[in-house]
Amino acid sequence: MANYADIVEKARIAFNSNQTKSLHLRKHHLRQLLKLLNENSSDLQLALASDLRKSKQEAVLFEIEYLKNDIVNALGSVESWMKTERPDKPLINIMDDVLIHKDPYGVVLVMGAWNYPLQLTLLPVIGAIAAGNSVVIKPSEIAPATAKLIAELVPKYLNRDAFPVILGGVEETTQLLKQRFDYIFYTGSTSVGKIVRAAANEYLTPVTLELGGKSPLYIDGTVNMDIAVKRIIWGKCINAGQTCIAPDYILCTRQIQNTFVEKAKQLIKTWYTDDPKNSPDFCRIVSEKHFVRLLDLMTNSGSIAVGGRHDKKDLYIEPTILTDVKPTDPIMKEEIFGPILPIVIVDNAYDAINFINNRSKPLTLYVFSSDQEMQNLFMRQTSSGSFCVNDTVSHYAVENLPFGGVGLSGMGAYHGKHTFDTFTHRKSCLVKDFNIIGESFSSAKYPPYSDKKLSM
Ligand code: NAD
């Protein structure tokens, strides 16, 4: 195991010796990261295909291009993001300088997840660099090809001391978390999120926890069902359902369920052929452990209305829809994170809202309805990290919207400028001079005290 204390110390020296802080250096590091993505796109696509059998389109759209756009945006905006703010000041400070200085935290740790192993590792890094920090980068060992490639490429393009990459699993992460960081940004499961937060408590290190959970989807009879089915099945099938904001389960009436299932069956055939196993567009489950877990959930919950075929050797599970699912079934007890979509019957929207509010707060809540009152009802009566009406997943790409969870689905948020803000300490500053008029304004504060001074 590498000497983590040494690695973090070097990153701290790099930070303290101003190797990351100036606008010029921040832009230089961002450009280098852009260069890394441009010059190694094919290898990155191969690594993503090796880890998840990701198609070229999903690798380019959701990982490589997504990151490139974020870098270009940061390059164009970082100068204005960094600008010191001058808030309104009270009369007593009229002679003073009152400002908010944007301080980088220092040495930050970014721990990525395996499902979008490139994007979810480097997206926080972009904001951390823009904010002027040193960054210890820890990709997920569960996507080994991408993790290895990140570890090979980053030192070729970025300052090795300021931006070290650490590989490893539970044991390495446990040791790494014993170090003192100035900020920790973690993407992954809620259970490990709790471990990360407990470790951060040792030094009262602030954390962002981008976690998971079951994101519900409610659909009623006012929708354009052809479009709705496309948007829902797309959100569930990209990356074979291994997306933190994939719709986890559907809540609807029995009548809606029947129409949805029929249309979804046809759509899956159109998109992925009669046998989605042969479609180049459909990903694989990341590991045997997750495959076995998913199979267990699928075979012990509700009944299979669409799909259900699987192949352990190929880590393949076809797009599957389960009906007659009971709230007590195993599949309703944990986040699915796979291409299985259970439908739970509810009587109406109020029933659905109760169902949602009786469970832990989801990362995202989806509502499919053309009725604006219904949309507003869900928006006001439920709590979730994000909320999306009549589409799935797409809200993630709106960079001006902060992305994050609430309750057990996480704390903190990022994307676009919000990532810069996450990795920036807003330092309140009051700067006075020795002007005699300014001094007279505040002379009442000095002893000897008197009632006259109190009334001034
Ligand atoms: P995980 O939390 O199981 O693993 C993440 C990392 O934690 C691994 O790399 C592992 O080395 C480390 N780890 C595991 N056990 C540990 C321990 N006991 N001590 C210290 N470190 C430990 O999560 P995962 O399987 O990689 O991710 C799946 C989850 O992540 C899902 O719940 C999903 O919803 C969530 N997720 C959330 C987002 C988001 O943006 N909110 C994005 C992707 C995934």
Side-chain angles (χ1 to χ4, degrees), residues 114-115 120 141 169 186-189 192 195 210-212 244 335 337:
W114 54 261
N115 53 337
L120 292 175
E141 78 285 6
Y186 168 77
T187 305
S189 66
V192 177
I195 294 171
E210 293 287 339
L211 310 177
C244 57
E335 182 180 358
F337 227 55

Side-chain angles (χ1 to χ4, degrees), residues 111-116 120 138-142 168-171 173-174 177 186-193 195-196 209-213 242-245 289-290 335 337 363 396 403-405 409 414:
M111 297 169 65
W114 54 261
N115 53 337
Y116 292 82
L120 292 175
K138 163 68 181 65
S140 171
E141 78 285 6
I142 300 164
V170 179
E171 206 182 320
T173 310
T174 305
L177 284 170
Y186 168 77
T187 305
S189 66
T190 299
S191 56
V192 177
I195 294 171
V196 171
L209 301 176
E210 293 287 339
L211 310 177
Q242 300 162 109
T243 303
C244 57
I245 46 171
K289 184 179 139 208
H290 278 287
E335 182 180 358
F337 227 55
L363 189 54
Y396 183 89
F403 178 81
S409 59
Y414 73 134

Side-chain angles (χ1 to χ4, degrees), residues 32-48 64 68 118 149-150 152-154 156-157:
Q32 285 297 104
L33 210 49
L34 190 58
K35 202 165 165 215
L36 180 158
L37 295 168
N38 279 328
E39 290 179 352
N40 300 281
S41 181
S42 314
D43 286 348
L44 289 165
Q45 286 170 45
L46 284 175
L48 292 165
I64 300 167
K68 283 163 63 176
L118 187 67
L149 191 56
I150 291 173
E152 272 168 31
L153 294 177
V154 168
K156 289 186 185 160
Y157 291 83

